[in-house]
Amino acid sequence: MSGCLYHNALSVAKVLVGKTEPIAEIGLKLAGVTRTIAPEQLARLLAVPAGARPYYRALAEALRGRMHDGAIPVGVRLPAERHLAAALGVSRTTVTAAYDLLKDHGYVTARQGSGSTTALPVGGDTPWTIPIPGDGMIPLHVASMPAASQVAPAVAAAAASYHRHLLGIGYEPVGLPVLREEVARRYTERGVATRPEQILITPGAQQAMHLLFALLVRPGDPVLLESPTYAHAIQSVRLHGARVVAAGELMESSLRQAKVAYVLPDFHNPTGTLMDAARRAALVAAARRHDVTLICDETWGEVAVDDVVMPPPLARWDTDNRVITIGSASKLWWGGLRVGWLRGTAELVERLSVLRSGVDLATAVFDQLVVAELFPRVEESRAERRAWLATSRDALTAALAEHLPGWTYPRPVGGGSIWAKLDVPSAAPVVQAAAANGVRLAPGRWFGVDGACEGYLRLSYCHPPHMLADAVARIAAARPGQAPPADTRLTLSL
């Protein structure tokens, strides 16, 4: 039976059996036997270029393509990883990563003792969910995940109710009432009583940050930042002409120098640290003594990795309306949902809604409806993210221990990145060498104030484990005096 006819027969069989069995199992029943393919034959069919970046992904895509064009039928048992690796002249780890990627997307099924078998994904073809950009580089500098599984049903529910808003003008400068209610309810559940009038919906947390700096600071005003801190906070402060004051570990004692302070108490970006309750209380008390407004960024606040007891939000200790909180849908649910919010006084929200008219008029209605649908599923989403990130964090730390044992870092209990101190004075050569070997890195100087943190890297573990293992191996191979592995050599035209 030809490959294309085989695919058609499988489609008919899937209908006949009521879609209750995996496609690979139906294929085995139709064939009557378990067919195999020799590693040398499969290697000839795939013909992956030696310079492909990253190689495991190119290998997986080649195998998927030969399945779609009928050259490799469904229901065929693939060679063992070590045998295909020998035929291709690559490492076994590379082949394992390619098989794992195919399994994740339904193109390969595996049973203990039976090896790996080709399949087709139930529901048809789906794009890879791994965020490899068009240049083929592994984006270890990006701390974002694919959409949580709750997003798709939330989109469907929002679409079903979207027509109800079409008779309105579409502009809600402070946000849709239904979403403001959900955000306020979540703050109340976390121990900070909040009314919807205290919530402003924005197109992302960075928009909220921009509006606050625009309202609260003037050129030359001192703004206190931790160092390291979120890179875009540094950019935003400087964009508004304010003077950056670096606090480092001395946040409370440095507040006397500032008018406004920006802090990340929940799974700090980039260090991943979690500020305890005593420190939060001391920070708010010091801000009160020195009459400083605190901008508290909780973008990562719902994304715990370990089973930790979360301290109350910083606003819990606020008695005179000097703590303004920023949040976002991007880390818990999906970066493509450009929805953020801030919590302050109703008066502050009104002033900001007037100010934002010079920037934009409102946040997209549809995105707001999607996020409003997601809030009732927040605990389900937190559990899913915890499982994803725990596995990936452990894979990254294991790879670092194996390949780069001289790098040190605090083990994060939440968030999406490791803050690694290198065994060399500057990260610049490491970043350049890694880029030449197919990995993009975030150097510490992005997050340090005035050039600090030169000897650090922020390593995102928001990616699948096999991608992280591949990335670390590439970084280690690219260090001075090391030769790239056979399957990751690149021919550069620069």
Side-chain angles (χ1 to χ4, degrees):
M1 184 181 296
S2 73
C4 292
L5 288 176
Y6 191 83
H7 281 218
N8 292 337
L10 288 180
S11 299
V12 174
K14 186 178 177 185
V15 173
L16 292 176
V17 299
K19 301 183 181 180
T20 59
E21 299 180 77
I23 293 177
E25 295 300 313
I26 300 170
L28 292 174
K29 290 181 179 180
L30 288 174
V33 293
T34 300
R35 294 168 298 167
T36 61
I37 184 169
E40 294 77 15
Q41 182 184 6
L42 182 57
R44 287 194 299 272
L45 286 173
L46 298 179
V48 182
R53 302 182 296 174
Y55 188 89
Y56 77 91
R57 175 181 164 86
L59 176 60
E61 288 180 333
L63 204 156
R64 178 176 71 159
R66 298 321 307 266
M67 289 172 61
H68 278 299
D69 65 21
I72 302 173
V74 172
V76 170
R77 182 179 294 172
L78 295 171
E81 287 97 330
R82 66 180 184 277
H83 295 152
L84 182 57
L88 291 168
V90 301
S91 69
R92 180 177 178 177
T93 301
T94 297
V95 177
T96 300
Y99 278 14
D100 286 345
L101 180 55
L102 291 162
K103 291 172 191 173
D104 290 343
H105 293 271
Y107 291 94
V108 167
T109 61
R111 287 187 176 180
Q112 187 69 30
S114 300
S116 299
T117 303
T118 58
L120 285 179
V122 176
D125 191 22
T126 57
W128 302 125
T129 57
I130 297 175
I132 296 289
D135 60 6
M137 305 283 280
I138 300 177
L140 217 61
H141 67 305
V142 176
S144 295
M145 293 171 280
S149 63
Q150 297 78 29
V151 172
V155 168
S161 64
Y162 191 48
H163 66 280
R164 301 172 189 167
H165 297 266
L166 298 180
L167 294 178
I169 63 173
Y171 298 130
E172 292 281 357
V174 293
L176 291 181
V178 62
L179 180 55
R180 298 175 76 198
E181 290 170 5
E182 290 292 345
V183 175
R185 182 179 299 112
R186 183 59 182 163
Y187 276 114
T188 301
E189 290 173 352
R190 295 173 58 209
V192 181
T194 304
R195 304 186 314 278
E197 300 81 49
Q198 294 178 258
I199 303 299
L200 175 70
I201 305 300
T202 62
Q206 287 186 212
Q207 169 75 308
M209 183 195 310
H210 168 79
L211 289 173
L212 287 171
F213 286 139
L215 179 68
L216 299 175
V217 302
R218 295 290 177 268
D221 282 349
V223 175
L224 191 69
L225 300 177
E226 300 164 283
S227 186
T229 190
Y230 179 46
H232 293 297
I234 302 173
Q235 295 175 337
S236 185
V237 170
R238 288 177 172 156
L239 178 66
H240 289 89
R243 178 167 54 89
V244 176
V245 178
E249 295 291 327
L250 308 175
M251 177 62 73
E252 291 89 338
S253 60
S254 301
L255 283 172
R256 63 172 58 90
Q257 306 174 52
K259 177 180 180 181
V260 174
Y262 170 85
V263 295
L264 298 127
D266 295 338
F267 310 129
H268 184 280
N269 183 3
T271 66
T273 55
L274 178 64
M275 187 183 293
D276 62 31
R279 176 101 188 269
R280 294 173 190 235
L283 180 62
V284 177
R288 189 178 302 115
R289 286 196 304 273
H290 300 296
D291 193 24
V292 175
T293 299
L294 292 176
I295 299 175
C296 171
D297 190 337
E298 294 182 341
T299 298
W300 282 100
E302 298 279 16
V303 191
V305 178
D306 293 334
D307 189 15
V308 296
V309 177
M310 289 295 297
L314 197 68
R316 176 74 176 271
W317 288 273
D318 184 22
T319 58
D320 56 352
N321 299 323
R322 66 179 59 255
V323 176
I324 306 168
T325 307
I326 295 172
S328 173
S330 64
K331 302 306 180 185
L332 181 61
W333 289 307
W334 187 41
L337 290 171
R338 301 313 304 152
V339 175
W341 53 84
L342 63 83
R343 177 194 181 276
T345 64
E347 179 189 7
L348 176 70
V349 167
E350 184 176 353
R351 292 173 65 194
L352 289 170
S353 69
V354 174
L355 177 65
R356 78 177 296 178
S357 64
V359 180
D360 65 3
L361 296 178
T363 307
V365 170
F366 189 78
D367 283 14
Q368 292 186 72
L369 291 173
V370 173
V371 177
E373 292 286 344
L374 286 167
F375 262 100
R377 312 177 194 190
V378 65
E379 293 302 335
E380 181 184 351
S381 301
R382 293 182 70 211
E384 179 179 290
R385 289 310 200 199
R386 184 180 302 121
W388 169 292
L389 288 170
T391 302
S392 293
R393 179 199 59 188
D394 293 347
L396 177 57
T397 56
L400 290 171
E402 177 182 358
H403 295 288
L404 296 163
W407 293 13
T408 59
Y409 48 86
R411 181 180 174 85
V413 296
S417 59
I418 282 174
W419 184 240
K421 180 175 176 56
L422 310 188
D423 53 3
V424 292
S426 173
V430 179
V431 172
Q432 294 171 3
N437 220 17
V439 183
R440 292 204 186 281
L441 295 172
R445 59 181 173 79
W446 287 0
F447 309 91
V449 175
D450 296 328
C453 307
E454 180 63 33
Y456 288 81
L457 288 172
R458 190 193 74 171
L459 304 173
S460 166
Y461 53 82
C462 293
H463 310 295
H466 52 265
M467 178 186 286
L468 296 169
D470 186 12
V472 173
R474 288 165 175 264
I475 296 167
R479 284 159 64 86
Q482 300 291 325
D487 60 330
T488 58
R489 291 183 185 272
L490 305 177
T491 300
L492 301 179
S493 58
L494 300 180

